[in-house]
Amino acid sequence: MMQNIAISLILFLSTIVQVSFLPIFFTDQSIPDFTLIIIIIWIARADFNSVLKWAILGGLMADIASFQPIGLNVFAFVAVAFIINSLSKRFLVPQFAWKFFMFVILVMVGTIANQAITGFIAEIGGRSNGLFRHIPMFFSQDFFLKLLYNLGIFAILYWPLKKLDKIFAYQNNRVVIKR
Amino acid sequence: MPKKYLSSKLIKFIIVSAICFLLVFWNPKRIFDPVRILFLEIAYPFQKSFYMLGRSVDEIFSFLGSIGEMKGDNERLIRENDSLVSEVVSLQEAKKENEILREQLKLAPRDKFDLEPCFVIGQDPQGLGSWLMIGKGSSDGIRTGMPVIVSNGILVGKVDEVGPDSSKVRLLTDSESAVNVNDLETSARGLIKGTYGLGLIMDMVAQADALNEGDTVITSGLGGEVPKGLLVGRIQEIKASPDKLFQQAIVMPRIRYQKLDLVFAIKNQ
């Protein structure tokens, strides 16, 4: 119960940070995906079924707070979780250097997938002018910066979230499988 | 076992995706309104605090970054001050002339608007549609469609959705935004539209009308929602529309929307 409340609170605050804090410091297209990175960290360390509900909740909060059609970010987060989980199961290994490199790749894949999915659905949903308008954005300096910022956010959040997971695991008296 | 797990994972993913697609394309905004209002009510104090905190941090960093430049700035400002004092004298005359012209053009005096000051508490984090969130809502008399300006009469956008304590303002740069405008110098009429959050385009200008680079673009008051005479921006480039029927002009907004702290909703016109 406490674990559920804590995770919901983390997602709620991360949504607020995403909408009301980060846009002050970053330009439009380079604002880091704070909530998405939290989901990526969880999904890379746990199984899809246990993180699915948090991906849905995070996406729902993002949709509500950013005035997007309900379902847009939910789908993007769930799809990213699915992709990252599939990749991490195949490629994440215990060796530190290789694991670190893989995490960098996972964050980049997650960021690109999220941007592509939200951009494409917004376009076919008629919220922007014309299809594939968002594609040139992937080659812009702002998007490159967004990737870097997301990696920075990942580096900042990874250890605290890992610690939190261990605390929950201890409280639940369950075994944490190290990968 | 892994196959069974994978299939359950895939099935869950497909079900969630299908529901999401249904929601996005059916777009039942009104159904989720109570949830959205409740969320915004709970989030409002947090959003306000985080936005204020962010602004303070930003100001501290800007201040620290500017310390080195202060000496030079001080000398420059003293020089500027001297020239501005002489300019004030000539502007007094221009002010009188402006008042006469405003009366002749029937432009509403900017100090006659019933303005509701609103702090910005959130911004579009994804750049899909350009909007601001302001910390005033229906309880403060904010209504959908109200124009939003900055203090010196520059149009920012229009109120798009209203909650009890906060509202969403659709910026002029949003692709779904459209406001009737005039070229101040030539009186050419057009429609100012957003371009995917990146800038402004003055569209639907008749080929016979004159547009010049550097001209000022103001609201025309047509349609009645936005008062006449609010500043929008300056024409940067002129081109023909893709169908060659109209002229288009790229307009540079007069303000950076990302740096806004305080805006004003026009409650009466």
Side-chain angles (χ1 to χ4, degrees), chain A residues 12-13 16-21 23-29 31 47-49 52 56 61 63-75 78-79 82 85-86 89 118 121 124-125 127-129 133-134, chain B residues 5 8-10 12-13 16-17 20-21 23-25 27 32 35-36 39-40 42-43 46-47 50-51 53-55 57-58 121-128 131 133 161 168 175-176 194 196-198 258-259:
Chain A
F12 174 76
L13 289 176
I16 302 295
V17 166
Q18 178 84 38
V19 173
S20 292
F21 189 75
I24 298 168
F25 304 101
F26 302 94
T27 52
D28 265 0
Q29 308 292 342
I31 299 169
D47 70 293
F48 180 76
N49 292 323
L52 178 64
I56 293 171
M61 287 185 184
D63 283 333
I64 291 172
S66 60
F67 295 96
Q68 300 293 349
I70 303 292
L72 180 69
N73 280 300
V74 177
F75 174 66
V78 170
F82 185 82
N85 187 254
S86 304
K89 282 205 176 303
T118 49
I121 295 181
I124 53 179
R127 286 182 58 79
S128 65
N129 305 328
R133 283 283 303 265
H134 69 285
Chain B
Y5 167 76
S8 112
K9 181 175 148 182
L10 246 180
K12 281 183 181 174
F13 173 64
V16 173
S17 306
C20 290
F21 269 90
L23 288 172
V24 170
F25 294 109
N27 199 7
F32 288 100
V35 183
R36 197 185 289 268
F39 181 88
L40 293 176
I42 298 167
F46 292 96
Q47 284 190 289
F50 272 99
Y51 202 83
L53 177 71
R55 275 272 162 249
V57 173
D58 190 40
I121 60 165
Q123 289 180 28
D124 177 20
Q126 288 176 315
L128 291 174
W131 52 264
M133 194 186 283
E161 285 180 39
K168 175 191 168 190
S175 55
E176 289 180 30
Y196 202 53
L198 299 172
Q258 207 186 3
K259 294 288 174 189

Side-chain angles (χ1 to χ4, degrees), chain A residues 29-30 33 108 111-116 136-150:
Chain A
Q29 308 292 342
S30 68
D33 304 308
M108 290 168 83
T111 306
I112 294 167
N114 179 57
Q115 199 71 30
M137 200 186 67
F138 288 111
F139 305 100
S140 67
Q141 190 191 355
D142 275 353
F143 188 71
F144 177 71
L145 288 173
K146 188 189 190 94
L147 287 172
L148 287 181
Y149 296 147
N150 278 357

